[in-house]
Amino acid sequence: MYSESSTIAAISTSMSEAGIGIVRMSGEESFEIADRIYRGKRNKKLSEQKSHTIHYGYIEEDGETIDEVLVMLMRGPHTFTGEDTVEINCHGGVYVPRRVLEACLRGGARPAQPGEFTKRAFLNGKLDLSQAEAVIDVIQSRNDYALKSSVSQLKGSVKRKVEEIRSKILYHTAFIESALDDPEHISIDGYGQTLERDVEELLDEIQRLLDSADDGRIMKEGVQTVIVGKPNAGKSSVLNMLLGEERAIVTDIAGTTRDILQEHMNLHGISLNIVDTAGIRKTDDKVEKIGVDRALSQAREADLIIYVVDSSLPLDENDRKIFRFIAGKKSIILLNKSDLARRTGDEEIRQMCREQGMEEPPVLSVSAKEEEGIEELEQAVKEMFYHGDISFNSEVYITNARQKHALESARQSLEKVLESIHMDMPEDFYSIDLMDAYESLGTITGETVGEDLVNEIFSKFCMGK
Ligand code: GDP
C-alpha cells in the first residue's frame, strides 16, 4: 500500500499538443524535490521562497536542461490538497510534461494514483465527499446547466443541505437518549408528536432532493433522446438537420439505417444525446429485425422520443404500432417533408391519438430537406424539460446516483420512525432508525464511509486530479 504521506506527482493537463502542460506535486517533500530538479537565477532555492509565488527557471536532469518553466509554490494548508504543493508549468505536448514528471519521480516523488490529489483534499478535510464528487462533474460537464449545478455542489450546496438535515436528526436522537438515561429530569411524554412533525418536514426535504435527481441527471448527462419512425420517414435527415452536418447515412432505400447511431448535441444549454434508429416496420429480414428490436428497446429507456412521420404519405398499420408504443412517454411528433404535398396532418394525428386513447403530444411541421422547423423543435424540448424556462435557479440538485441512493435509504429509515410513532412503540425504536438515517446521509458527505468506498470513488477520477 502506498503511504498517504509520501509526495505524489502527476501530469494534470491533457497529453496533447497544447501550449502549456502542468506537472503537479503534493506532499511534505514537494519543495525539496523541486529544488533538486530546478535551476533558477543565482542558484535560488525554492524551499526558501515565500508561499504562493511563481518562479521562472529550468528543469534539469544530469546537467541537461529539459525545459524552460514557471514553478508555482504553495505551502499547505492553503492549497487544494491541504499539503505543500508545487505546480510546474512547462511546455505542453506529449513528451515534455512526461520528462518533467520523470524528473520529479527521480527527485523523490511517486506517481499519483487517479484522483489522489482530490482524495488527499478530502482526507485533509478541505472538501467533503459531495464536493469531491463535484470536482469530477465539473471536469466532465458538457453544458451550462451541468457546469452550474456542479460548481454549486463544489461550493458546498449539497453538503450544507445534508448537514442541516443531519443536525436536526442528531438533535432528536440526543434528546431521546438523554431522556432515556435520565427519566427523572427529562420528560419524554408527548415527544412522539413533536418528533412526528419534524420527521415529516425532514421527509419533505429529502423528497425535494430526490425529486431534483431526475432533472439533475438530465442536466448532467443530457436528455436521452431516441428518434423513431418508419423507414424513409426522414429520421436520419432530421438528425442531420439537428446536428447541422451529414453524419447519419441518408438514402432513399427503405431500411438502410440498420444500426444505432448515438450523437451528442447542445441545444441552448440543454444536452441531447440522440440515438437514430432503424426504421420501425414489420419485417422478415433478420438483420433489419434486430435493428427494429434494438430501436424499440432504446426507445423504452429514453427520456424523449422524437417520432418522425412522413407527412407526404397517409398513416398506416406500422404507424399505429408506433403510436401504441409511444403512448404515455414524453414524445414529440414531427410531420416531416412539409415541403411536399400533405397526406397526413394534425387532424390525422389527433384521430390516431383518440383511437389509441392517448394524450396528444406536441406535433410540429418540419422539413429536414429545407431545414425548417428547428427552432420550434428546440422550444418544444425546452418546454418539456425545463418548463420553457432555461434559467438555472439556485436550488440544490442531486446529480449523483450514489447520493440519490443514500437519500433513499435515509427516507426509508425516517418512514420507519413515523411507523414506530404511529404504533406507539417505545422511544428507543425511534432512535435506532433516526441513527440509521443519520448514517445514510453521512455517506453523502463522507463522514460515515469506509476506506473501501472512498478508494472506489476516487479511483474513477482522472489522472492528475
Ligand atoms: P430514414 O430512413 O427515416 O432515416 O430516412 P432518411 O433520412 O434516410 O430519408 C429518406 C428519404 O427522404 C431521403 O431520400 C431523404 O432525402 C428524403 N427526405 C428526408 N427528409 C425530407 C424532407 O423534409 N423533404 C423531402 N422532400 N424529402 C426528405
Side-chain angles (χ1 to χ4, degrees):
M1 195 54 207
Y2 281 130
S3 153
E4 295 289 359
S5 64
S6 52
T7 296
I8 52 172
I11 300 168
S12 285
T13 43
S14 95
M15 299 280 277
S16 58
E17 278 191 24
I20 296 171
I22 299 178
V23 175
R24 174 155 66 165
M25 283 195 283
S26 176
E28 272 171 16
E29 263 201 286
S30 27
F31 281 53
E32 285 67 31
I33 296 171
D35 266 337
R36 283 175 210 142
I37 61 174
Y38 167 88
R39 191 171 58 80
K41 270 191 200 151
R42 290 185 292 277
N43 287 335
K44 93 170 152 192
K45 292 195 87 168
L46 294 175
S47 50
E48 289 165 3
Q49 308 302 313
K50 278 197 192 143
S51 179
H52 291 77
T53 53
I54 299 175
H55 305 268
Y56 171 79
Y58 299 93
I59 296 297
E60 289 194 342
E61 208 175 28
D62 301 331
E64 179 204 351
T65 300
I66 297 176
D67 195 17
E68 186 185 30
V69 296
L70 282 175
V71 180
M72 202 187 313
L73 304 174
M74 292 166 284
R75 289 264 183 216
H78 300 295
T79 59
F80 176 69
T81 56
E83 302 170 337
D84 287 355
T85 301
V86 172
E87 287 186 10
I88 304 172
N89 285 237
C90 57
H91 288 98
V94 288
Y95 189 62
V96 180
R98 198 176 298 164
R99 285 292 306 273
V100 173
L101 173 64
E102 279 165 11
C104 294
L105 301 181
R106 265 189 221 115
R110 68 153 172 87
Q113 296 168 299
E116 200 172 0
F117 291 95
T118 317
K119 183 175 164 190
R120 287 187 171 198
F122 167 67
L123 294 173
N124 291 328
K126 303 292 286 186
L127 300 169
D128 83 328
L129 206 49
S130 72
Q131 289 170 307
E133 286 177 318
V135 169
I136 200 164
D137 291 345
V138 167
I139 295 171
Q140 289 176 346
S141 55
R142 296 195 290 186
N143 65 56
D144 224 31
Y145 284 114
L147 178 60
K148 281 183 180 145
S149 90
S150 311
V151 168
S152 118
Q153 286 178 19
L154 185 59
K155 285 162 83 181
S157 61
V158 170
K159 171 182 177 231
R160 276 190 297 277
K161 190 84 220 159
V162 168
E163 279 174 350
E164 196 185 300
I165 299 177
R166 284 186 93 213
S167 77
K168 287 180 190 162
I169 295 177
L170 194 61
Y171 168 83
H172 284 294
T173 322
F175 184 84
I176 295 169
E177 293 293 325
S178 34
L180 292 175
D181 281 350
D182 186 8
E184 279 180 29
H185 295 98
I186 307 174
S187 161
I188 206 159
D189 282 350
Y191 195 66
Q193 273 115 30
T194 316
L195 184 61
E196 181 181 10
R197 207 177 43 237
D198 281 7
V199 168
E200 273 168 0
E201 266 172 33
L202 293 176
L203 275 168
D204 283 349
E205 282 180 50
I206 289 178
Q207 194 53 49
R208 261 199 298 280
L209 288 174
L210 281 169
D211 289 344
S212 79
D214 229 19
D215 287 348
R217 178 184 64 78
I218 284 174
M219 209 181 270
K220 180 173 156 189
E221 294 169 8
V223 180
Q224 202 56 37
T225 309
V226 173
I227 302 184
V228 301
K230 286 188 302 188
N232 259 354
K235 298 179 295 301
S236 308
S237 309
V238 165
L239 178 63
N240 287 342
M241 166 177 85
L242 287 171
L243 295 170
E245 55 193 283
E246 297 258 331
R247 242 186 280 173
I249 326 146
V250 183
T251 60
D252 47 12
I253 309 158
T256 43
T257 316
R258 282 179 167 169
D259 221 333
I260 306 254
L261 275 172
Q262 159 106 259
E263 296 282 0
H264 180 82
M265 67 172 288
N266 249 324
L267 203 132
H268 293 142
I270 304 175
S271 290
L272 293 189
N273 304 315
I274 309 189
V275 177
D276 184 17
T277 60
I280 295 174
R281 65 170 178 183
K282 219 167 144 40
T283 175
D284 292 331
D285 179 322
K286 270 197 197 136
V287 180
E288 194 186 339
K289 189 161 184 325
I290 294 172
V292 172
D293 290 346
R294 226 188 285 176
L296 290 173
S297 78
Q298 290 266 346
R300 249 173 237 125
E301 314 255 297
D303 299 314
L304 170 68
I305 296 176
I306 295 180
Y307 172 19
V308 180
V309 173
D310 183 342
S311 66
S312 70
L313 299 172
L315 294 174
D316 64 17
E317 261 323 293
N318 285 319
D319 287 297
R320 192 178 307 270
K321 230 176 148 177
I322 300 176
F323 270 92
R324 218 172 292 143
F325 183 78
I326 66 167
K329 297 208 162 65
K330 273 193 177 165
S331 42
I332 295 176
I333 296 181
L334 299 184
L335 293 174
N336 188 34
K337 311 199 185 180
S338 62
D339 52 297
L340 301 178
R342 164 161 299 195
R343 308 261 308 266
T344 296
D346 289 342
E347 189 39 54
E348 286 75 12
I349 298 288
R350 208 164 298 137
Q351 169 72 24
M352 187 69 101
C353 289
R354 261 201 304 271
E355 266 177 43
Q356 300 297 328
M358 61 186 267
E359 218 170 286
E360 193 185 333
V363 181
L364 307 170
S365 252
V366 302
S367 166
K369 191 174 168 204
E370 311 278 326
E371 303 209 343
E372 270 171 25
I374 304 183
E375 287 87 32
E376 288 80 358
L377 178 59
E378 286 182 354
Q379 194 52 40
V381 174
K382 263 186 246 166
E383 263 158 38
M384 231 169 220
F385 290 91
Y386 293 90
H387 316 288
D389 177 13
I390 200 99
S391 69
F392 178 86
N393 50 33
S394 54
E395 262 177 56
V396 179
Y397 284 93
I398 297 293
T399 54
N400 175 305
R402 193 187 68 82
Q403 296 172 8
K404 184 179 167 195
H405 182 73
L407 284 166
E408 281 165 348
S409 319
R411 178 177 63 187
Q412 257 177 18
S413 303
L414 290 180
E415 278 165 353
K416 282 195 200 145
V417 175
L418 282 187
E419 261 174 50
S420 306
I421 298 174
H422 296 156
M423 290 164 71
D424 259 340
M425 305 286 265
E427 282 77 12
D428 24 358
F429 275 82
Y430 308 165
S431 60
I432 292 172
D433 292 319
L434 282 171
M435 275 326 276
D436 281 349
Y438 184 78
E439 293 262 320
S440 302
L441 292 170
T443 63
I444 298 180
T445 52
E447 267 168 72
T448 54
V449 289
E451 199 182 327
D452 287 357
L453 184 62
V454 169
N455 288 339
E456 190 194 316
I457 291 170
F458 287 103
S459 68
K460 292 192 198 119
F461 274 54
C462 48
M463 212 40 158
K465 189 62 223 171

